PDB file of all heavy atoms in Angstrom:
ATOM      1  N   ALA A   1       0.814  -1.224   0.000  1.00 96.00           N
ATOM      2  CA  ALA A   1       0.000   0.000   0.000  1.00 96.00           C
ATOM      3  C   ALA A   1       0.843   1.268   0.000  1.00 96.00           C
ATOM      4  O   ALA A   1       0.290   2.364  -0.003  1.00 96.00           O
ATOM      5  CB  ALA A   1      -0.940   0.000   1.208  1.00 96.00           C
ATOM      6  N   ARG A   2       2.159   1.136   0.002  1.00 97.00           N
ATOM      7  CA  ARG A   2       3.029   2.326  -0.014  1.00 97.00           C
ATOM      8  C   ARG A   2       2.688   3.247  -1.181  1.00 97.00           C
ATOM      9  O   ARG A   2       2.409   2.790  -2.278  1.00 97.00           O
ATOM     10  CB  ARG A   2       4.500   1.918  -0.171  1.00 97.00           C
ATOM     11  CG  ARG A   2       5.179   1.358   1.038  1.00 97.00           C
ATOM     12  CD  ARG A   2       6.555   0.801   0.680  1.00 97.00           C
ATOM     13  NE  ARG A   2       6.438  -0.355  -0.183  1.00 97.00           N
ATOM     14  CZ  ARG A   2       7.016  -0.466  -1.374  1.00 97.00           C
ATOM     15  NH1 ARG A   2       7.720   0.532  -1.880  1.00 97.00           N
ATOM     16  NH2 ARG A   2       6.868  -1.573  -2.089  1.00 97.00           N
ATOM     17  N   ARG A   3       2.750   4.543  -0.913  1.00 97.00           N
ATOM     18  CA  ARG A   3       2.521   5.505  -2.005  1.00 97.00           C
ATOM     19  C   ARG A   3       3.575   5.283  -3.085  1.00 97.00           C
ATOM     20  O   ARG A   3       4.777   5.243  -2.816  1.00 97.00           O
ATOM     21  CB  ARG A   3       2.607   6.936  -1.465  1.00 97.00           C
ATOM     22  CG  ARG A   3       2.263   8.020  -2.484  1.00 97.00           C
ATOM     23  CD  ARG A   3       0.814   7.871  -3.001  1.00 97.00           C
ATOM     24  NE  ARG A   3       0.379   9.028  -3.736  1.00 97.00           N
ATOM     25  CZ  ARG A   3      -0.518   9.911  -3.278  1.00 97.00           C
ATOM     26  NH1 ARG A   3      -1.074   9.753  -2.100  1.00 97.00           N
ATOM     27  NH2 ARG A   3      -0.855  10.947  -4.010  1.00 97.00           N
ATOM     28  N   GLY A   4       3.126   5.139  -4.321  1.00 96.00           N
ATOM     29  CA  GLY A   4       4.023   4.998  -5.457  1.00 96.00           C
ATOM     30  C   GLY A   4       4.622   3.622  -5.633  1.00 96.00           C
ATOM     31  O   GLY A   4       5.440   3.420  -6.543  1.00 96.00           O
ATOM     32  N   ALA A   5       4.225   2.636  -4.819  1.00 95.00           N
ATOM     33  CA  ALA A   5       4.852   1.315  -4.870  1.00 95.00           C
ATOM     34  C   ALA A   5       4.690   0.653  -6.233  1.00 95.00           C
ATOM     35  O   ALA A   5       5.606  -0.032  -6.710  1.00 95.00           O
ATOM     36  CB  ALA A   5       4.275   0.422  -3.779  1.00 95.00           C
ATOM     37  N   SER A   6       3.540   0.858  -6.868  1.00 94.00           N
ATOM     38  CA  SER A   6       3.275   0.192  -8.138  1.00 94.00           C
ATOM     39  C   SER A   6       4.106   0.764  -9.288  1.00 94.00           C
ATOM     40  O   SER A   6       4.172   0.163 -10.373  1.00 94.00           O
ATOM     41  CB  SER A   6       1.790   0.290  -8.491  1.00 94.00           C
ATOM     42  OG  SER A   6       1.396   1.647  -8.640  1.00 94.00           O
ATOM     43  N   ASP A   7       4.761   1.890  -9.062  1.00 95.00           N
ATOM     44  CA  ASP A   7       5.538   2.527 -10.123  1.00 95.00           C
ATOM     45  C   ASP A   7       6.988   2.066 -10.167  1.00 95.00           C
ATOM     46  O   ASP A   7       7.743   2.481 -11.053  1.00 95.00           O
ATOM     47  CB  ASP A   7       5.519   4.047  -9.950  1.00 95.00           C
ATOM     48  CG  ASP A   7       4.125   4.636 -10.074  1.00 95.00           C
ATOM     49  OD1 ASP A   7       3.317   4.071 -10.838  1.00 95.00           O
ATOM     50  OD2 ASP A   7       3.841   5.641  -9.396  1.00 95.00           O
ATOM     51  N   PHE A   8       7.383   1.216  -9.221  1.00 96.00           N
ATOM     52  CA  PHE A   8       8.788   0.815  -9.128  1.00 96.00           C
ATOM     53  C   PHE A   8       8.900  -0.697  -8.953  1.00 96.00           C
ATOM     54  O   PHE A   8       8.096  -1.317  -8.263  1.00 96.00           O
ATOM     55  CB  PHE A   8       9.464   1.498  -7.936  1.00 96.00           C
ATOM     56  CG  PHE A   8       9.540   2.994  -8.044  1.00 96.00           C
ATOM     57  CD1 PHE A   8       8.483   3.787  -7.601  1.00 96.00           C
ATOM     58  CD2 PHE A   8      10.647   3.618  -8.593  1.00 96.00           C
ATOM     59  CE1 PHE A   8       8.545   5.170  -7.704  1.00 96.00           C
ATOM     60  CE2 PHE A   8      10.717   4.997  -8.697  1.00 96.00           C
ATOM     61  CZ  PHE A   8       9.658   5.777  -8.257  1.00 96.00           C
ATOM     62  N   THR A   9       9.919  -1.269  -9.588  1.00 95.00           N
ATOM     63  CA  THR A   9      10.246  -2.671  -9.380  1.00 95.00           C
ATOM     64  C   THR A   9      11.546  -2.840  -8.615  1.00 95.00           C
ATOM     65  O   THR A   9      11.751  -3.861  -7.965  1.00 95.00           O
ATOM     66  CB  THR A   9      10.353  -3.410 -10.724  1.00 95.00           C
ATOM     67  OG1 THR A   9      11.335  -2.758 -11.546  1.00 95.00           O
ATOM     68  CG2 THR A   9       9.003  -3.405 -11.448  1.00 95.00           C
ATOM     69  N   ASP A  10      12.403  -1.849  -8.674  1.00 97.00           N
ATOM     70  CA  ASP A  10      13.706  -1.915  -7.995  1.00 97.00           C
ATOM     71  C   ASP A  10      13.618  -1.196  -6.650  1.00 97.00           C
ATOM     72  O   ASP A  10      13.258  -0.005  -6.604  1.00 97.00           O
ATOM     73  CB  ASP A  10      14.777  -1.244  -8.856  1.00 97.00           C
ATOM     74  CG  ASP A  10      16.163  -1.386  -8.273  1.00 97.00           C
ATOM     75  OD1 ASP A  10      16.432  -0.750  -7.228  1.00 97.00           O
ATOM     76  OD2 ASP A  10      16.978  -2.127  -8.840  1.00 97.00           O
ATOM     77  N   PRO A  11      13.928  -1.877  -5.552  1.00 97.00           N
ATOM     78  CA  PRO A  11      13.847  -1.242  -4.223  1.00 97.00           C
ATOM     79  C   PRO A  11      14.724  -0.005  -4.091  1.00 97.00           C
ATOM     80  O   PRO A  11      14.342   0.959  -3.416  1.00 97.00           O
ATOM     81  CB  PRO A  11      14.319  -2.345  -3.273  1.00 97.00           C
ATOM     82  CG  PRO A  11      14.051  -3.608  -3.999  1.00 97.00           C
ATOM     83  CD  PRO A  11      14.281  -3.299  -5.447  1.00 97.00           C
ATOM     84  N   PHE A  12      15.877   0.001  -4.734  1.00 97.00           N
ATOM     85  CA  PHE A  12      16.778   1.154  -4.634  1.00 97.00           C
ATOM     86  C   PHE A  12      16.194   2.354  -5.368  1.00 97.00           C
ATOM     87  O   PHE A  12      16.341   3.497  -4.912  1.00 97.00           O
ATOM     88  CB  PHE A  12      18.162   0.798  -5.178  1.00 97.00           C
ATOM     89  CG  PHE A  12      18.945  -0.104  -4.271  1.00 97.00           C
ATOM     90  CD1 PHE A  12      18.829  -1.484  -4.381  1.00 97.00           C
ATOM     91  CD2 PHE A  12      19.777   0.426  -3.295  1.00 97.00           C
ATOM     92  CE1 PHE A  12      19.534  -2.321  -3.543  1.00 97.00           C
ATOM     93  CE2 PHE A  12      20.486  -0.400  -2.447  1.00 97.00           C
ATOM     94  CZ  PHE A  12      20.370  -1.787  -2.565  1.00 97.00           C
ATOM     95  N   ASP A  13      15.545   2.092  -6.502  1.00 97.00           N
ATOM     96  CA  ASP A  13      14.900   3.189  -7.222  1.00 97.00           C
ATOM     97  C   ASP A  13      13.771   3.779  -6.379  1.00 97.00           C
ATOM     98  O   ASP A  13      13.609   5.006  -6.302  1.00 97.00           O
ATOM     99  CB  ASP A  13      14.336   2.701  -8.556  1.00 97.00           C
ATOM    100  CG  ASP A  13      15.418   2.398  -9.572  1.00 97.00           C
ATOM    101  OD1 ASP A  13      16.563   2.854  -9.370  1.00 97.00           O
ATOM    102  OD2 ASP A  13      15.108   1.694 -10.560  1.00 97.00           O
ATOM    103  N   TYR A  14      12.984   2.900  -5.765  1.00 97.00           N
ATOM    104  CA  TYR A  14      11.887   3.403  -4.931  1.00 97.00           C
ATOM    105  C   TYR A  14      12.422   4.200  -3.749  1.00 97.00           C
ATOM    106  O   TYR A  14      11.903   5.280  -3.428  1.00 97.00           O
ATOM    107  CB  TYR A  14      11.006   2.259  -4.425  1.00 97.00           C
ATOM    108  CG  TYR A  14       9.863   2.758  -3.573  1.00 97.00           C
ATOM    109  CD1 TYR A  14       8.679   3.198  -4.162  1.00 97.00           C
ATOM    110  CD2 TYR A  14       9.988   2.868  -2.185  1.00 97.00           C
ATOM    111  CE1 TYR A  14       7.641   3.703  -3.394  1.00 97.00           C
ATOM    112  CE2 TYR A  14       8.953   3.377  -1.409  1.00 97.00           C
ATOM    113  CZ  TYR A  14       7.784   3.783  -2.019  1.00 97.00           C
ATOM    114  OH  TYR A  14       6.776   4.306  -1.245  1.00 97.00           O
ATOM    115  N   ALA A  15      13.447   3.677  -3.100  1.00 97.00           N
ATOM    116  CA  ALA A  15      14.007   4.358  -1.932  1.00 97.00           C
ATOM    117  C   ALA A  15      14.519   5.742  -2.291  1.00 97.00           C
ATOM    118  O   ALA A  15      14.295   6.714  -1.553  1.00 97.00           O
ATOM    119  CB  ALA A  15      15.135   3.511  -1.329  1.00 97.00           C
ATOM    120  N   GLY A  16      15.183   5.849  -3.433  1.00 97.00           N
ATOM    121  CA  GLY A  16      15.671   7.151  -3.861  1.00 97.00           C
ATOM    122  C   GLY A  16      14.534   8.107  -4.156  1.00 97.00           C
ATOM    123  O   GLY A  16      14.595   9.299  -3.807  1.00 97.00           O
ATOM    124  N   TRP A  17      13.489   7.584  -4.809  1.00 97.00           N
ATOM    125  CA  TRP A  17      12.330   8.416  -5.089  1.00 97.00           C
ATOM    126  C   TRP A  17      11.667   8.875  -3.802  1.00 97.00           C
ATOM    127  O   TRP A  17      11.355  10.061  -3.643  1.00 97.00           O
ATOM    128  CB  TRP A  17      11.322   7.638  -5.937  1.00 97.00           C
ATOM    129  CG  TRP A  17      10.007   8.346  -6.097  1.00 97.00           C
ATOM    130  CD1 TRP A  17       9.726   9.351  -6.981  1.00 97.00           C
ATOM    131  CD2 TRP A  17       8.815   8.113  -5.334  1.00 97.00           C
ATOM    132  NE1 TRP A  17       8.414   9.763  -6.811  1.00 97.00           N
ATOM    133  CE2 TRP A  17       7.837   9.024  -5.809  1.00 97.00           C
ATOM    134  CE3 TRP A  17       8.477   7.243  -4.305  1.00 97.00           C
ATOM    135  CZ2 TRP A  17       6.551   9.086  -5.283  1.00 97.00           C
ATOM    136  CZ3 TRP A  17       7.197   7.291  -3.777  1.00 97.00           C
ATOM    137  CH2 TRP A  17       6.246   8.196  -4.256  1.00 97.00           C
ATOM    138  N   TRP A  18      11.431   7.941  -2.877  1.00 98.00           N
ATOM    139  CA  TRP A  18      10.751   8.297  -1.635  1.00 98.00           C
ATOM    140  C   TRP A  18      11.521   9.363  -0.850  1.00 98.00           C
ATOM    141  O   TRP A  18      10.932  10.317  -0.327  1.00 98.00           O
ATOM    142  CB  TRP A  18      10.528   7.074  -0.736  1.00 98.00           C
ATOM    143  CG  TRP A  18      10.036   7.517   0.604  1.00 98.00           C
ATOM    144  CD1 TRP A  18      10.759   7.711   1.755  1.00 98.00           C
ATOM    145  CD2 TRP A  18       8.700   7.956   0.916  1.00 98.00           C
ATOM    146  NE1 TRP A  18       9.972   8.219   2.760  1.00 98.00           N
ATOM    147  CE2 TRP A  18       8.703   8.374   2.256  1.00 98.00           C
ATOM    148  CE3 TRP A  18       7.513   8.011   0.185  1.00 98.00           C
ATOM    149  CZ2 TRP A  18       7.553   8.853   2.893  1.00 98.00           C
ATOM    150  CZ3 TRP A  18       6.376   8.484   0.810  1.00 98.00           C
ATOM    151  CH2 TRP A  18       6.402   8.894   2.147  1.00 98.00           C
ATOM    152  N   ASN A  19      12.827   9.187  -0.746  1.00 97.00           N
ATOM    153  CA  ASN A  19      13.625  10.123   0.047  1.00 97.00           C
ATOM    154  C   ASN A  19      13.566  11.539  -0.504  1.00 97.00           C
ATOM    155  O   ASN A  19      13.817  12.502   0.225  1.00 97.00           O
ATOM    156  CB  ASN A  19      15.078   9.650   0.135  1.00 97.00           C
ATOM    157  CG  ASN A  19      15.250   8.466   1.066  1.00 97.00           C
ATOM    158  OD1 ASN A  19      14.303   8.011   1.708  1.00 97.00           O
ATOM    159  ND2 ASN A  19      16.470   7.946   1.147  1.00 97.00           N
ATOM    160  N   ALA A  20      13.221  11.680  -1.782  1.00 97.00           N
ATOM    161  CA  ALA A  20      13.070  13.010  -2.390  1.00 97.00           C
ATOM    162  C   ALA A  20      11.607  13.438  -2.459  1.00 97.00           C
ATOM    163  O   ALA A  20      11.318  14.543  -2.918  1.00 97.00           O
ATOM    164  CB  ALA A  20      13.669  13.007  -3.802  1.00 97.00           C
ATOM    165  N   TYR A  21      10.694  12.587  -1.985  1.00 97.00           N
ATOM    166  CA  TYR A  21       9.254  12.839  -2.132  1.00 97.00           C
ATOM    167  C   TYR A  21       8.550  13.043  -0.795  1.00 97.00           C
ATOM    168  O   TYR A  21       7.755  13.974  -0.621  1.00 97.00           O
ATOM    169  CB  TYR A  21       8.620  11.661  -2.874  1.00 97.00           C
ATOM    170  CG  TYR A  21       7.112  11.732  -2.987  1.00 97.00           C
ATOM    171  CD1 TYR A  21       6.504  12.463  -4.004  1.00 97.00           C
ATOM    172  CD2 TYR A  21       6.288  11.045  -2.094  1.00 97.00           C
ATOM    173  CE1 TYR A  21       5.115  12.514  -4.128  1.00 97.00           C
ATOM    174  CE2 TYR A  21       4.898  11.096  -2.202  1.00 97.00           C
ATOM    175  CZ  TYR A  21       4.323  11.832  -3.218  1.00 97.00           C
ATOM    176  OH  TYR A  21       2.963  11.893  -3.326  1.00 97.00           O
ATOM    177  N   GLY A  22       8.788  12.151   0.165  1.00 98.00           N
ATOM    178  CA  GLY A  22       8.072  12.186   1.441  1.00 98.00           C
ATOM    179  C   GLY A  22       8.364  13.451   2.240  1.00 98.00           C
ATOM    180  O   GLY A  22       9.462  14.003   2.182  1.00 98.00           O
ATOM    181  N   VAL A  23       7.363  13.894   2.985  1.00 98.00           N
ATOM    182  CA  VAL A  23       7.464  15.154   3.743  1.00 98.00           C
ATOM    183  C   VAL A  23       7.336  14.860   5.238  1.00 98.00           C
ATOM    184  O   VAL A  23       6.351  14.273   5.682  1.00 98.00           O
ATOM    185  CB  VAL A  23       6.363  16.140   3.290  1.00 98.00           C
ATOM    186  CG1 VAL A  23       6.340  17.368   4.199  1.00 98.00           C
ATOM    187  CG2 VAL A  23       6.598  16.559   1.840  1.00 98.00           C
ATOM    188  N   LEU A  24       8.320  15.299   6.002  1.00 98.00           N
ATOM    189  CA  LEU A  24       8.340  15.060   7.442  1.00 98.00           C
ATOM    190  C   LEU A  24       8.134  16.365   8.207  1.00 98.00           C
ATOM    191  O   LEU A  24       8.904  17.310   8.068  1.00 98.00           O
ATOM    192  CB  LEU A  24       9.688  14.446   7.852  1.00 98.00           C
ATOM    193  CG  LEU A  24       9.876  14.181   9.350  1.00 98.00           C
ATOM    194  CD1 LEU A  24       8.828  13.211   9.888  1.00 98.00           C
ATOM    195  CD2 LEU A  24      11.285  13.660   9.623  1.00 98.00           C
ATOM    196  N   TRP A  25       7.054  16.392   9.007  1.00 98.00           N
ATOM    197  CA  TRP A  25       6.768  17.524   9.887  1.00 98.00           C
ATOM    198  C   TRP A  25       7.034  17.118  11.334  1.00 98.00           C
ATOM    199  O   TRP A  25       6.753  15.976  11.733  1.00 98.00           O
ATOM    200  CB  TRP A  25       5.297  17.912   9.845  1.00 98.00           C
ATOM    201  CG  TRP A  25       4.761  18.489   8.589  1.00 98.00           C
ATOM    202  CD1 TRP A  25       5.344  18.545   7.368  1.00 98.00           C
ATOM    203  CD2 TRP A  25       3.456  19.082   8.451  1.00 98.00           C
ATOM    204  NE1 TRP A  25       4.488  19.138   6.468  1.00 98.00           N
ATOM    205  CE2 TRP A  25       3.330  19.470   7.104  1.00 98.00           C
ATOM    206  CE3 TRP A  25       2.397  19.309   9.326  1.00 98.00           C
ATOM    207  CZ2 TRP A  25       2.175  20.090   6.618  1.00 98.00           C
ATOM    208  CZ3 TRP A  25       1.258  19.915   8.843  1.00 98.00           C
ATOM    209  CH2 TRP A  25       1.152  20.311   7.498  1.00 98.00           C
ATOM    210  N   LEU A  26       7.493  18.064  12.109  1.00 98.00           N
ATOM    211  CA  LEU A  26       7.553  17.921  13.561  1.00 98.00           C
ATOM    212  C   LEU A  26       6.666  18.999  14.153  1.00 98.00           C
ATOM    213  O   LEU A  26       6.800  20.179  13.803  1.00 98.00           O
ATOM    214  CB  LEU A  26       8.991  18.081  14.075  1.00 98.00           C
ATOM    215  CG  LEU A  26      10.035  17.153  13.451  1.00 98.00           C
ATOM    216  CD1 LEU A  26      11.411  17.491  14.018  1.00 98.00           C
ATOM    217  CD2 LEU A  26       9.701  15.694  13.682  1.00 98.00           C
ATOM    218  N   GLN A  27       5.767  18.615  15.042  1.00 98.00           N
ATOM    219  CA  GLN A  27       4.845  19.588  15.635  1.00 98.00           C
ATOM    220  C   GLN A  27       5.425  20.098  16.952  1.00 98.00           C
ATOM    221  O   GLN A  27       5.798  19.307  17.826  1.00 98.00           O
ATOM    222  CB  GLN A  27       3.472  18.955  15.869  1.00 98.00           C
ATOM    223  CG  GLN A  27       2.398  19.978  16.202  1.00 98.00           C
ATOM    224  CD  GLN A  27       1.006  19.371  16.212  1.00 98.00           C
ATOM    225  OE1 GLN A  27       0.851  18.158  16.309  1.00 98.00           O
ATOM    226  NE2 GLN A  27      -0.012  20.201  16.119  1.00 98.00           N
ATOM    227  N   ILE A  28       5.511  21.412  17.077  1.00 96.00           N
ATOM    228  CA  ILE A  28       6.045  22.018  18.295  1.00 96.00           C
ATOM    229  C   ILE A  28       4.886  22.666  19.054  1.00 96.00           C
ATOM    230  O   ILE A  28       4.163  23.485  18.519  1.00 96.00           O
ATOM    231  CB  ILE A  28       7.177  23.030  17.984  1.00 96.00           C
ATOM    232  CG1 ILE A  28       6.750  24.051  16.930  1.00 96.00           C
ATOM    233  CG2 ILE A  28       8.410  22.287  17.489  1.00 96.00           C
ATOM    234  CD1 ILE A  28       7.806  25.107  16.667  1.00 96.00           C
ATOM    235  N   GLU A  29       4.765  22.263  20.336  1.00 96.00           N
ATOM    236  CA  GLU A  29       3.567  22.626  21.091  1.00 96.00           C
ATOM    237  C   GLU A  29       3.892  23.079  22.512  1.00 96.00           C
ATOM    238  O   GLU A  29       3.029  23.035  23.386  1.00 96.00           O
ATOM    239  CB  GLU A  29       2.615  21.429  21.131  1.00 96.00           C
ATOM    240  CG  GLU A  29       2.279  20.894  19.747  1.00 96.00           C
ATOM    241  CD  GLU A  29       1.334  19.716  19.777  1.00 96.00           C
ATOM    242  OE1 GLU A  29       0.135  19.931  20.059  1.00 96.00           O
ATOM    243  OE2 GLU A  29       1.791  18.580  19.528  1.00 96.00           O
ATOM    244  N   SER A  30       5.121  23.533  22.725  1.00 96.00           N
ATOM    245  CA  SER A  30       5.515  24.002  24.052  1.00 96.00           C
ATOM    246  C   SER A  30       6.519  25.129  23.918  1.00 96.00           C
ATOM    247  O   SER A  30       7.168  25.288  22.872  1.00 96.00           O
ATOM    248  CB  SER A  30       6.138  22.865  24.871  1.00 96.00           C
ATOM    249  OG  SER A  30       7.384  22.477  24.317  1.00 96.00           O
ATOM    250  N   VAL A  31       6.653  25.905  24.980  1.00 97.00           N
ATOM    251  CA  VAL A  31       7.641  26.980  25.001  1.00 97.00           C
ATOM    252  C   VAL A  31       9.038  26.407  24.782  1.00 97.00           C
ATOM    253  O   VAL A  31       9.858  26.977  24.049  1.00 97.00           O
ATOM    254  CB  VAL A  31       7.570  27.752  26.339  1.00 97.00           C
ATOM    255  CG1 VAL A  31       8.755  28.684  26.492  1.00 97.00           C
ATOM    256  CG2 VAL A  31       6.263  28.535  26.426  1.00 97.00           C
ATOM    257  N   GLU A  32       9.306  25.266  25.412  1.00 96.00           N
ATOM    258  CA  GLU A  32      10.631  24.650  25.281  1.00 96.00           C
ATOM    259  C   GLU A  32      10.926  24.280  23.831  1.00 96.00           C
ATOM    260  O   GLU A  32      12.042  24.499  23.329  1.00 96.00           O
ATOM    261  CB  GLU A  32      10.706  23.400  26.172  1.00 96.00           C
ATOM    262  CG  GLU A  32      10.676  23.670  27.655  1.00 96.00           C
ATOM    263  CD  GLU A  32       9.283  23.929  28.219  1.00 96.00           C
ATOM    264  OE1 GLU A  32       8.282  23.800  27.452  1.00 96.00           O
ATOM    265  OE2 GLU A  32       9.178  24.265  29.409  1.00 96.00           O
ATOM    266  N   ALA A  33       9.924  23.722  23.137  1.00 97.00           N
ATOM    267  CA  ALA A  33      10.121  23.349  21.739  1.00 97.00           C
ATOM    268  C   ALA A  33      10.304  24.571  20.852  1.00 97.00           C
ATOM    269  O   ALA A  33      11.131  24.567  19.931  1.00 97.00           O
ATOM    270  CB  ALA A  33       8.937  22.515  21.251  1.00 97.00           C
ATOM    271  N   VAL A  34       9.551  25.614  21.131  1.00 97.00           N
ATOM    272  CA  VAL A  34       9.665  26.836  20.331  1.00 97.00           C
ATOM    273  C   VAL A  34      11.064  27.431  20.439  1.00 97.00           C
ATOM    274  O   VAL A  34      11.674  27.812  19.436  1.00 97.00           O
ATOM    275  CB  VAL A  34       8.601  27.867  20.776  1.00 97.00           C
ATOM    276  CG1 VAL A  34       8.895  29.238  20.185  1.00 97.00           C
ATOM    277  CG2 VAL A  34       7.212  27.403  20.356  1.00 97.00           C
ATOM    278  N   THR A  35      11.588  27.505  21.640  1.00 96.00           N
ATOM    279  CA  THR A  35      12.905  28.117  21.824  1.00 96.00           C
ATOM    280  C   THR A  35      14.033  27.242  21.287  1.00 96.00           C
ATOM    281  O   THR A  35      15.138  27.731  21.050  1.00 96.00           O
ATOM    282  CB  THR A  35      13.158  28.425  23.317  1.00 96.00           C
ATOM    283  OG1 THR A  35      13.003  27.218  24.083  1.00 96.00           O
ATOM    284  CG2 THR A  35      12.181  29.473  23.821  1.00 96.00           C
ATOM    285  N   ARG A  36      13.759  25.958  21.042  1.00 96.00           N
ATOM    286  CA  ARG A  36      14.759  25.042  20.486  1.00 96.00           C
ATOM    287  C   ARG A  36      14.452  24.711  19.029  1.00 96.00           C
ATOM    288  O   ARG A  36      15.049  23.770  18.469  1.00 96.00           O
ATOM    289  CB  ARG A  36      14.811  23.751  21.296  1.00 96.00           C
ATOM    290  CG  ARG A  36      15.186  23.922  22.754  1.00 96.00           C
ATOM    291  CD  ARG A  36      15.421  22.574  23.445  1.00 96.00           C
ATOM    292  NE  ARG A  36      16.674  21.980  22.996  1.00 96.00           N
ATOM    293  CZ  ARG A  36      16.753  20.894  22.228  1.00 96.00           C
ATOM    294  NH1 ARG A  36      15.644  20.304  21.795  1.00 96.00           N
ATOM    295  NH2 ARG A  36      17.932  20.396  21.881  1.00 96.00           N
ATOM    296  N   ALA A  37      13.579  25.453  18.416  1.00 97.00           N
ATOM    297  CA  ALA A  37      13.122  25.125  17.065  1.00 97.00           C
ATOM    298  C   ALA A  37      14.284  25.003  16.081  1.00 97.00           C
ATOM    299  O   ALA A  37      14.320  24.093  15.244  1.00 97.00           O
ATOM    300  CB  ALA A  37      12.124  26.164  16.576  1.00 97.00           C
ATOM    301  N   HIS A  38      15.240  25.898  16.178  1.00 96.00           N
ATOM    302  CA  HIS A  38      16.361  25.877  15.232  1.00 96.00           C
ATOM    303  C   HIS A  38      17.213  24.621  15.393  1.00 96.00           C
ATOM    304  O   HIS A  38      17.902  24.203  14.450  1.00 96.00           O
ATOM    305  CB  HIS A  38      17.219  27.129  15.408  1.00 96.00           C
ATOM    306  CG  HIS A  38      17.864  27.255  16.744  1.00 96.00           C
ATOM    307  ND1 HIS A  38      17.147  27.475  17.900  1.00 96.00           N
ATOM    308  CD2 HIS A  38      19.174  27.179  17.125  1.00 96.00           C
ATOM    309  CE1 HIS A  38      17.971  27.539  18.932  1.00 96.00           C
ATOM    310  NE2 HIS A  38      19.196  27.356  18.489  1.00 96.00           N
ATOM    311  N   LEU A  39      17.181  24.001  16.581  1.00 96.00           N
ATOM    312  CA  LEU A  39      17.925  22.771  16.810  1.00 96.00           C
ATOM    313  C   LEU A  39      17.138  21.545  16.361  1.00 96.00           C
ATOM    314  O   LEU A  39      17.723  20.540  15.938  1.00 96.00           O
ATOM    315  CB  LEU A  39      18.282  22.635  18.299  1.00 96.00           C
ATOM    316  CG  LEU A  39      19.152  23.752  18.885  1.00 96.00           C
ATOM    317  CD1 LEU A  39      19.314  23.563  20.388  1.00 96.00           C
ATOM    318  CD2 LEU A  39      20.515  23.777  18.184  1.00 96.00           C
ATOM    319  N   LEU A  40      15.810  21.631  16.445  1.00 97.00           N
ATOM    320  CA  LEU A  40      14.960  20.532  16.003  1.00 97.00           C
ATOM    321  C   LEU A  40      14.906  20.442  14.478  1.00 97.00           C
ATOM    322  O   LEU A  40      14.643  19.367  13.927  1.00 97.00           O
ATOM    323  CB  LEU A  40      13.547  20.712  16.551  1.00 97.00           C
ATOM    324  CG  LEU A  40      13.404  20.752  18.082  1.00 97.00           C
ATOM    325  CD1 LEU A  40      11.952  21.031  18.468  1.00 97.00           C
ATOM    326  CD2 LEU A  40      13.893  19.462  18.725  1.00 97.00           C
ATOM    327  N   ALA A  41      15.150  21.559  13.809  1.00 97.00           N
ATOM    328  CA  ALA A  41      15.040  21.631  12.346  1.00 97.00           C
ATOM    329  C   ALA A  41      16.291  21.056  11.684  1.00 97.00           C
ATOM    330  O   ALA A  41      17.016  21.744  10.962  1.00 97.00           O
ATOM    331  CB  ALA A  41      14.813  23.072  11.913  1.00 97.00           C
ATOM    332  N   ARG A  42      16.520  19.779  11.893  1.00 97.00           N
ATOM    333  CA  ARG A  42      17.702  19.119  11.348  1.00 97.00           C
ATOM    334  C   ARG A  42      17.514  18.758   9.878  1.00 97.00           C
ATOM    335  O   ARG A  42      16.397  18.763   9.350  1.00 97.00           O
ATOM    336  CB  ARG A  42      18.001  17.852  12.165  1.00 97.00           C
ATOM    337  CG  ARG A  42      18.490  18.134  13.562  1.00 97.00           C
ATOM    338  CD  ARG A  42      18.631  16.866  14.388  1.00 97.00           C
ATOM    339  NE  ARG A  42      19.365  15.812  13.705  1.00 97.00           N
ATOM    340  CZ  ARG A  42      19.628  14.623  14.237  1.00 97.00           C
ATOM    341  NH1 ARG A  42      19.229  14.346  15.477  1.00 97.00           N
ATOM    342  NH2 ARG A  42      20.297  13.709  13.554  1.00 97.00           N
TER     343      ARG A  42
END
């Protein structure tokens, strides 16, 4: 059920595509997280 799985037969091709496609968010919900935002944004 992976997004885009049917478009690839080679695992390395899929992995390269995914790493340039998937979007990762981190939710910050505290004063501590806000003041460390620049460190969390790796």
Side-chain angles (χ1 to χ4, degrees):
R2 284 171 293 124
R3 185 61 168 252
S6 62
D7 297 328
F8 296 87
T9 57
D10 185 290
F12 287 89
D13 288 343
Y14 180 84
W17 171 81
W18 171 263
N19 286 357
Y21 175 84
V23 172
L24 178 60
W25 292 11
L26 305 177
Q27 192 171 19
I28 51 176
E29 305 180 73
S30 68
V31 169
E32 292 80 5
V34 167
T35 56
R36 299 189 73 250
H38 63 292
L39 300 175
L40 300 176
R42 290 174 49 179

